Amino acid sequence: MRPDTPADHTTEAERLLRTAGQYPEDREPLLLRAAAHLELAGHRERATSLYDSLLASSPAAPLLIRALKAANLWEYGHEAEARAIIDGVRRARPTEPEPWEIVAETLESHDELEASEATFTEAATLLVAPTSAEDLSYALQSLLTGRHRVRRLLALPHDDHDTLADRLHAGDVSLDELHDPKRLWSLGSSDPAELQAEITRLRSELGSYRTALSRPFPVAVLHWPEAELDELLAAYPELEAEYPTYRAHLTDIEASLRELAQSGTPNLGIVPATVPSYEAFAASESSSPANADLLPQYATTLAARGHATPWPPARGAECWCGSGRTYGGCHGSDARE
């Protein structure tokens, strides 16, 4: 079950902090995820402390951490420091889209639309050619979608990057309609108070969506390779209800991910599971590997440690199941039906 309340987020943050102590080689992704949960729990000072701790230890992704720190600082009154960090991130010209998107959305969320658009445009110019193929990474597509949204709010005309964003958008409702500012004024009743409440609700939902997009941590599903699954069920037959056969396991993975995608869940991924790793995780949780409730927690921890493979695979890539066939010729064969 995913955390829903401040207390749940605090509990998950503490669990991730303990795990980081047990697996120091994975400290950075685990502490980043813990900081995200602390932010959602309202413990923003503690989150800042985690970001500072990471920055002091020669991290692998310093610009990402600085962007996250700036977004967090601005939310609890440290606007000047946040702006200084954002300026530094922009000057550094990250080669990955995530820091750009985080600082651009931070500016957008504080009504700095012109600065947000300029940031999105710098990133798009640096990272995306307008004639790019349609198999751009999810992160780059998200960057283009965010830029489209801000430019729509500013009533700017479409350019080549907006056209590419429209072409890549797979939803039933066009980006122009989704990002139309006039839609806000067609919602609710004519009562200004009720309309304001509707706008507040929409902003809250948009904030949650931005948070999901901005955090480079996928919602992950476990994949047990056939030999590992055989070993797991031989040692813990109680789990046969979860995994009746290997073929059913593969079918369930694809079905679960498609259901999540259809519900709008972003950043989906698959993590390979092994019995020794799972047994070590169960021991760290003071529980038995036969406890099926540990499985989603195990998947989340593996994803937080950077072991997830994005789903769906890029066009022409091998299927996630390991068959050696392309995804389109294997489990993705009916993905577009």
Side-chain angles (χ1 to χ4, degrees):
M1 182 179 296
R2 300 178 68 183
D4 291 318
T5 68
D8 290 337
H9 285 293
T10 301
T11 299
E12 182 65 8
E14 297 297 347
R15 186 183 72 80
L16 289 165
L17 289 170
R18 292 195 304 272
T19 305
Q22 295 164 345
Y23 300 96
E25 69 278 11
D26 297 310
R27 179 175 179 268
E28 183 172 333
L30 289 168
L31 291 190
L32 279 177
R33 190 167 183 87
H37 282 288
L38 289 173
E39 287 186 37
L40 293 169
H43 302 310
R44 294 192 174 275
E45 294 87 348
R46 285 191 65 194
T48 295
S49 296
L50 284 184
Y51 294 136
D52 287 337
S53 175
L54 283 166
L55 290 169
S57 60
S58 300
L63 294 177
L64 170 65
I65 298 169
R66 290 183 185 280
L68 292 169
K69 178 183 175 181
N72 181 53
L73 284 168
W74 204 327
E75 290 299 323
Y76 72 106
H78 296 272
E79 177 181 342
E81 186 176 355
R83 285 182 181 276
I85 294 173
I86 287 172
D87 289 343
V89 171
R90 292 177 66 180
R91 286 195 300 271
R93 296 174 64 80
T95 57
E96 298 295 330
E98 290 85 0
W100 286 107
E101 185 168 15
I102 292 168
V103 298
E105 290 187 341
T106 299
L107 292 164
E108 179 192 357
S109 67
H110 293 280
D111 297 322
E112 301 279 347
L113 295 182
E114 289 81 4
S116 176
E117 194 277 335
T119 302
F120 271 125
T121 297
E122 287 176 32
T125 302
L126 178 67
L127 303 177
V128 183
T131 57
S132 296
E134 295 189 9
D135 58 354
L136 282 178
S137 69
Y138 182 89
L140 286 173
Q141 292 184 44
S142 177
L143 182 78
L144 291 177
T145 299
R147 180 178 183 273
H148 185 290
R149 179 182 63 248
V150 172
R151 288 173 61 81
R152 192 79 169 87
L153 291 170
L154 290 169
L156 295 174
H158 271 34
D159 62 8
D160 289 343
H161 282 119
D162 291 323
T163 300
L164 179 58
D166 285 328
R167 184 153 52 96
L168 294 172
H169 178 63
D172 296 330
V173 180
S174 69
L175 284 183
D176 274 345
E177 183 177 350
L178 284 175
H179 297 160
D180 185 358
K182 294 179 181 178
R183 294 184 68 224
L184 292 176
W185 304 106
S186 66
L187 298 172
S189 71
S190 59
D191 184 336
E194 292 182 1
L195 181 59
Q196 184 60 51
E198 183 73 1
I199 292 172
T200 301
R201 181 184 67 80
L202 288 170
R203 283 178 174 167
S204 176
E205 291 177 355
L206 180 59
S208 298
Y209 184 62
R210 287 176 183 160
T211 298
L213 286 178
S214 298
R215 305 303 187 194
F217 307 116
V219 176
V221 176
L222 284 175
H223 171 215
W224 295 91
E226 188 168 12
E228 294 290 339
L229 185 62
D230 289 344
E231 182 180 345
L232 178 76
L233 297 180
Y236 309 104
E238 299 91 338
L239 296 178
E240 287 182 358
E242 299 290 328
Y243 308 113
T245 66
Y246 180 63
R247 183 171 182 176
H249 172 48
L250 298 183
T251 300
D252 286 346
I253 291 173
E254 185 70 22
S256 297
L257 289 166
R258 292 191 190 181
E259 182 178 350
L260 288 167
Q262 290 171 2
S263 70
T265 303
N267 298 352
L268 299 174
I270 298 175
V271 286
T274 67
V275 174
S277 168
Y278 178 55
E279 289 175 335
F281 174 77
S284 73
E285 295 294 309
S286 301
S287 184
S288 166
N291 179 6
D293 291 340
L294 285 179
L295 295 169
Q297 296 180 37
Y298 175 52
T300 298
T301 299
L302 289 179
R305 293 168 66 187
H307 298 318
T309 300
W311 180 95
R315 182 175 300 174
E318 288 190 6
C319 188
W320 53 263
C321 72
S323 66
R325 292 180 287 171
T326 64
Y327 176 65
C330 191
H331 283 88
S333 59
D334 61 344
R336 300 183 184 275
E337 292 181 2

